[in-house]
Amino acid sequence: MYYLSVEHGGRGGCIVNVASMAGLNPNPFSPVYGCTKAGIIHATRCYAVSEAAKKSNIRLNVMCPAFVDTPMFRQMAAGDASQTIGGDQTAVNAFIERIGVLSTEDVSAALIDILTDETRNGLILRCAKKTGNVYSTLTVQDV
Ligand SMILES: NC(=O)C1=CN([C@@H]2O[C@H](COP(=O)(O)OP(=O)(O)OC[C@H]3O[C@@H](n4cnc5c(N)ncnc54)[C@H](O)[C@@H]3O)[C@@H](O)[C@H]2O)C=CC1
Ligand SMILES: CC/C=C\C[C@H](O)C(=O)/C=C/C=C/C=C\C=C\[C@@H](O)C/C=C\CCC(=O)O
């Protein structure tokens, strides 16, 4: 953010952090992974409201795809026990089947939308097979 910021000689820009649907909705087979992704979402939220971001002309958003057909996903779907808990691959595969699997093209198109649409700022983007791309705000209720 420092080097992108207008204040420090940059031109501003757009940061898109990659979290996961597992950071919002529970994936019962990968709880620790889900915690790390929830952390990425919250870190993005904290940066998005920071004075540094407001002054910098940097847009901050976070993407939360459900399952995507990549090498990591295939490894998990093929039964790599280091990626899931419980040891029940039939249940893991039933869960994947229920949620559906996005293509990398689906996710790339969503990323291009965030990058090119300059009104997209301070947003969570959920990408899932059945619901498509759904934007919501990172903003939370004040206390
Ligand atoms: N595949 C899925 O179902 C989903 C993945 N994600 C997230 O999307 C991101 C990408 O995931 P996948 O493509 O599935 O993983 P992947 O394991 O298939 O690919 C990751 C790529 O990152 C590269 N990489 C790893 N460490 C690196 C480093 N320090 N510097 C540069 N490159 C590095 C690897 O060589 C590999 O090409 C991850 O953050 C993952 O948690 C989010 C939601 C769903
Ligand atoms: C580990 C490597 C592969 C993929 C990681 C990926 O990021 C990931 O884990 C994605 C998860 C997506 C989860 C999506 C949806 C979750 C839906 C929940 O609302 C389901 C609710 C309860 C589950 C219990 C049940 O009813 O089965």
Side-chain angles (χ1 to χ4, degrees), residues 76-98:
M76 181 199 62
D80 178 348
S82 70
Q83 301 215 20
T84 54
I85 59 162
D88 184 350
Q89 191 60 29
T90 305
V92 171
N93 289 344
F95 184 65
I96 294 169
E97 179 79 16
R98 190 179 122 207

Side-chain angles (χ1 to χ4, degrees), residues 20-22 25-28 33 66-67 72 76 83 95 98-99:
S20 165
M21 188 66 82
N25 285 34
N27 172 350
Y33 176 87
F67 295 109
M72 180 178 80
M76 181 199 62
Q83 301 215 20
F95 184 65
R98 190 179 122 207
I99 302 301

